[in-house]
Short mmCIF file of all heavy atoms in Angstrom, two decimals:
data_model
loop_
_atom_site.label_atom_id
_atom_site.label_comp_id
_atom_site.label_asym_id
_atom_site.label_seq_id
_atom_site.Cartn_x
_atom_site.Cartn_y
_atom_site.Cartn_z
N ARG B 38 0.96 13.79 5.57
CA ARG B 38 0.01 13.10 4.71
C ARG B 38 -0.45 11.79 5.34
O ARG B 38 0.37 11.02 5.84
CB ARG B 38 0.65 12.83 3.34
CG ARG B 38 1.06 14.11 2.65
CD ARG B 38 1.58 13.90 1.27
NE ARG B 38 1.82 15.21 0.62
CZ ARG B 38 2.03 15.37 -0.67
NH1 ARG B 38 2.02 14.34 -1.47
NH2 ARG B 38 2.23 16.58 -1.16
N MET B 39 -1.75 11.55 5.26
CA MET B 39 -2.31 10.31 5.80
C MET B 39 -3.33 9.74 4.82
O MET B 39 -3.96 10.49 4.05
CB MET B 39 -2.95 10.56 7.18
CG MET B 39 -1.95 11.02 8.23
SD MET B 39 -2.59 11.12 9.90
CE MET B 39 -2.68 9.38 10.34
N TYR B 40 -3.47 8.43 4.85
CA TYR B 40 -4.26 7.72 3.86
C TYR B 40 -5.05 6.59 4.54
O TYR B 40 -4.59 6.02 5.54
CB TYR B 40 -3.35 7.06 2.81
CG TYR B 40 -2.29 7.96 2.21
CD1 TYR B 40 -1.10 8.20 2.88
CD2 TYR B 40 -2.47 8.54 0.96
CE1 TYR B 40 -0.12 9.01 2.34
CE2 TYR B 40 -1.49 9.35 0.40
CZ TYR B 40 -0.32 9.58 1.09
OH TYR B 40 0.65 10.39 0.54
N TRP B 41 -6.18 6.25 3.96
CA TRP B 41 -6.89 5.03 4.31
C TRP B 41 -7.05 4.17 3.06
O TRP B 41 -7.52 4.65 2.02
CB TRP B 41 -8.28 5.33 4.89
CG TRP B 41 -8.26 5.63 6.35
CD1 TRP B 41 -8.38 6.85 6.96
CD2 TRP B 41 -8.13 4.67 7.40
NE1 TRP B 41 -8.32 6.71 8.31
CE2 TRP B 41 -8.16 5.39 8.61
CE3 TRP B 41 -7.98 3.28 7.44
CZ2 TRP B 41 -8.05 4.75 9.86
CZ3 TRP B 41 -7.87 2.67 8.66
CH2 TRP B 41 -7.91 3.39 9.86
N TYR B 42 -6.66 2.90 3.20
CA TYR B 42 -6.79 1.91 2.14
C TYR B 42 -7.63 0.74 2.66
O TYR B 42 -7.65 0.46 3.85
CB TYR B 42 -5.43 1.34 1.74
CG TYR B 42 -4.50 2.27 1.02
CD1 TYR B 42 -3.60 3.06 1.73
CD2 TYR B 42 -4.49 2.34 -0.36
CE1 TYR B 42 -2.72 3.90 1.07
CE2 TYR B 42 -3.60 3.17 -1.03
CZ TYR B 42 -2.72 3.95 -0.31
OH TYR B 42 -1.85 4.78 -0.97
N ARG B 43 -8.26 0.04 1.75
CA ARG B 43 -8.80 -1.27 2.07
C ARG B 43 -8.16 -2.30 1.16
O ARG B 43 -7.77 -1.99 0.03
CB ARG B 43 -10.33 -1.32 1.97
CG ARG B 43 -10.92 -1.16 0.60
CD ARG B 43 -12.44 -1.34 0.62
NE ARG B 43 -12.84 -2.74 0.62
CZ ARG B 43 -14.10 -3.17 0.73
NH1 ARG B 43 -15.10 -2.30 0.85
NH2 ARG B 43 -14.37 -4.46 0.72
N GLN B 44 -8.04 -3.51 1.69
CA GLN B 44 -7.40 -4.58 0.93
C GLN B 44 -8.34 -5.77 0.90
O GLN B 44 -8.79 -6.24 1.95
CB GLN B 44 -6.06 -4.97 1.54
CG GLN B 44 -5.26 -5.94 0.69
CD GLN B 44 -3.86 -6.13 1.23
OE1 GLN B 44 -3.65 -6.22 2.43
NE2 GLN B 44 -2.88 -6.20 0.32
N ASP B 45 -8.61 -6.23 -0.29
CA ASP B 45 -9.45 -7.40 -0.50
C ASP B 45 -8.68 -8.41 -1.33
O ASP B 45 -7.92 -8.02 -2.23
CB ASP B 45 -10.73 -7.01 -1.25
CG ASP B 45 -11.55 -5.97 -0.51
OD1 ASP B 45 -12.36 -6.38 0.31
OD2 ASP B 45 -11.36 -4.76 -0.75
N PRO B 46 -8.88 -9.68 -1.10
CA PRO B 46 -8.18 -10.71 -1.89
C PRO B 46 -8.42 -10.51 -3.38
O PRO B 46 -9.55 -10.34 -3.82
CB PRO B 46 -8.82 -12.01 -1.39
CG PRO B 46 -9.30 -11.71 -0.02
CD PRO B 46 -9.75 -10.28 -0.07
N GLY B 47 -7.34 -10.50 -4.14
CA GLY B 47 -7.45 -10.36 -5.58
C GLY B 47 -7.64 -8.95 -6.09
O GLY B 47 -7.59 -8.71 -7.30
N LEU B 48 -7.84 -8.01 -5.17
CA LEU B 48 -8.06 -6.62 -5.60
C LEU B 48 -6.96 -5.68 -5.14
O LEU B 48 -6.95 -4.51 -5.51
CB LEU B 48 -9.41 -6.12 -5.07
CG LEU B 48 -10.64 -6.81 -5.63
CD1 LEU B 48 -11.90 -6.26 -4.96
CD2 LEU B 48 -10.73 -6.64 -7.15
N GLY B 49 -6.09 -6.15 -4.32
CA GLY B 49 -4.99 -5.31 -3.88
C GLY B 49 -5.44 -4.20 -2.94
O GLY B 49 -6.55 -4.22 -2.40
N LEU B 50 -4.58 -3.23 -2.76
CA LEU B 50 -4.86 -2.08 -1.90
C LEU B 50 -5.56 -1.01 -2.72
O LEU B 50 -5.06 -0.59 -3.76
CB LEU B 50 -3.55 -1.51 -1.36
CG LEU B 50 -2.91 -2.21 -0.17
CD1 LEU B 50 -1.46 -1.77 -0.04
CD2 LEU B 50 -3.68 -1.89 1.10
N ARG B 51 -6.70 -0.56 -2.21
CA ARG B 51 -7.43 0.49 -2.91
C ARG B 51 -7.61 1.68 -1.98
O ARG B 51 -7.96 1.51 -0.81
CB ARG B 51 -8.78 -0.02 -3.40
CG ARG B 51 -8.67 -1.06 -4.51
CD ARG B 51 -10.04 -1.51 -4.99
NE ARG B 51 -10.74 -2.28 -3.96
CZ ARG B 51 -12.03 -2.55 -4.00
NH1 ARG B 51 -12.79 -2.09 -4.99
NH2 ARG B 51 -12.59 -3.28 -3.04
#
Side-chain angles (χ1 to χ4, degrees):
Chain B
R38 300 185 174 194
M39 298 187 74
Y40 311 81
W41 276 104
Y42 291 90
R43 66 176 279 176
Q44 188 171 40
D45 301 272
L48 294 177
L50 280 163
R51 292 182 292 166

